[in-house]
């Protein structure tokens, strides 16, 4: 009986450690703008922060936010190593507009297509824009909804906190 109890205690401890190290990135597969499958749970960035932003072509605040993010993105990459994925929640009727918008705006970050809203549901996104920040282990550390001019600076401050923890 003591062995069984000890075994169960050890199993609980190991499972607890596993649960703590498990990523908050859900296992949902999306397509990028070139049609390549991307499993969100497999996203990695060499231990650096990852940002997921949910947006749509019909969302004015989303376009403003992504324009602002694009203006500072390369500096952020150079300073923190962050990787940004813009997840379009446009449905099958409007998804054809995504690539022309991205190319027309010249956005430098990766864009993924959540045509069936699988990732949107998995992450409890109700309205765009909705932004999530994950640390280098895929743990959710910050999120915000909506966009106010200059709001990208708040996100940057959070990215800096994550980047400093890595060092």
């Amino acid at each position: 009986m003591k062995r069984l109890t000890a075994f169960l205690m050890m199993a609980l401890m190991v499972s607890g450690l596993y649960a703590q190290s498990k990523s908050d990135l859900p296992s949902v597969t999306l397509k990028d703008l070139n049609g390549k499958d991307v499993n969100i749970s497999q996203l990695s960035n060499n231990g650096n922060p990852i940002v997921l932003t949910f947006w749509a072509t019909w969302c004015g605040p989303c376009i403003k936010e992504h324009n602002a993010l694009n203006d500072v993105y390369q500096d952020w990459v150079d300073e923190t190593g962050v990787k940004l994925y813009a997840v379009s929640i446009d449905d099958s009727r409007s998804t054809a507009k995504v690539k022309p918008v991205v190319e027309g705006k010249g956005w430098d970050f990766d864009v993924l297509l959540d045509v069936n809203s699988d990732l949107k549901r998995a992450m409890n996104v109700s309205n765009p824009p909705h932004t999530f920040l994950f640390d280098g282990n895929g743990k959710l550390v910050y999120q915000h909804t909506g966009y106010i001019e200059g709001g990208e600076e708040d996100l940057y401050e959070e990215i800096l906190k994550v980047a400093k923890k890595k060092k």
Side-chain angles (χ1 to χ4, degrees), residues 86-143:
V87 180
S88 167
I89 60 169
D90 285 270
D91 62 19
S92 59
R93 294 179 305 246
S94 59
T95 195
K97 298 175 185 176
V98 173
K99 192 170 186 174
V101 167
V102 171
E103 290 174 350
K105 299 290 185 183
W107 293 342
D108 289 330
F109 33 82
D110 291 339
V111 176
L112 304 174
L113 305 172
D114 191 16
V115 177
N116 297 321
S117 295
D118 295 331
L119 186 59
K120 178 183 169 189
R121 274 191 304 279
M123 297 191 68
N124 295 316
V125 172
S126 55
N127 293 312
H130 194 140
T131 302
F132 296 88
L133 171 62
F134 297 88
D135 69 13
N137 298 315
K139 295 301 256 175
L140 178 62
V141 295
Y142 173 81
Q143 66 177 301

Side-chain angles (χ1 to χ4, degrees), residues 11-166:
L12 287 172
M13 286 174 31
V14 170
S15 67
L17 291 173
Y18 174 74
Q20 288 175 346
S21 66
K22 191 174 178 191
S23 171
D24 289 331
L25 291 163
S27 183
V28 174
T29 300
L30 304 180
K31 299 250 186 233
D32 68 12
L33 290 180
N34 297 315
K36 180 182 171 201
D37 286 344
V38 177
N39 186 317
I40 301 305
S41 68
Q42 302 300 312
L43 294 179
S44 67
N45 190 22
N46 298 322
N48 294 314
I50 296 172
V51 173
L52 289 180
T53 65
F54 286 79
W55 71 286
T57 57
W58 45 263
C59 170
C62 299
I63 302 298
K64 288 179 183 178
E65 179 179 49
H66 285 84
N67 286 337
L69 289 171
N70 193 63
D71 289 345
V72 295
Y73 182 57
Q74 194 54 56
D75 290 336
W76 289 7
V77 170
D78 294 343
E79 294 168 17
T80 67
V82 69
K83 178 81 173 166
L84 190 147
Y85 295 89
V87 180
S88 167
I89 60 169
D90 285 270
D91 62 19
S92 59
R93 294 179 305 246
S94 59
T95 195
K97 298 175 185 176
V98 173
K99 192 170 186 174
V101 167
V102 171
E103 290 174 350
K105 299 290 185 183
W107 293 342
D108 289 330
F109 33 82
D110 291 339
V111 176
L112 304 174
L113 305 172
D114 191 16
V115 177
N116 297 321
S117 295
D118 295 331
L119 186 59
K120 178 183 169 189
R121 274 191 304 279
M123 297 191 68
N124 295 316
V125 172
S126 55
N127 293 312
H130 194 140
T131 302
F132 296 88
L133 171 62
F134 297 88
D135 69 13
N137 298 315
K139 295 301 256 175
L140 178 62
V141 295
Y142 173 81
Q143 66 177 301
H144 74 87
T145 58
Y147 177 69
I148 301 169
E149 190 173 327
E152 63 278 0
E153 293 307 317
D154 293 335
L155 176 60
Y156 181 63
E157 291 301 318
E158 297 298 325
I159 291 169
L160 280 175
K161 289 177 191 175
V162 172
K164 286 180 184 176
K165 285 182 182 178
K166 180 187 175 206

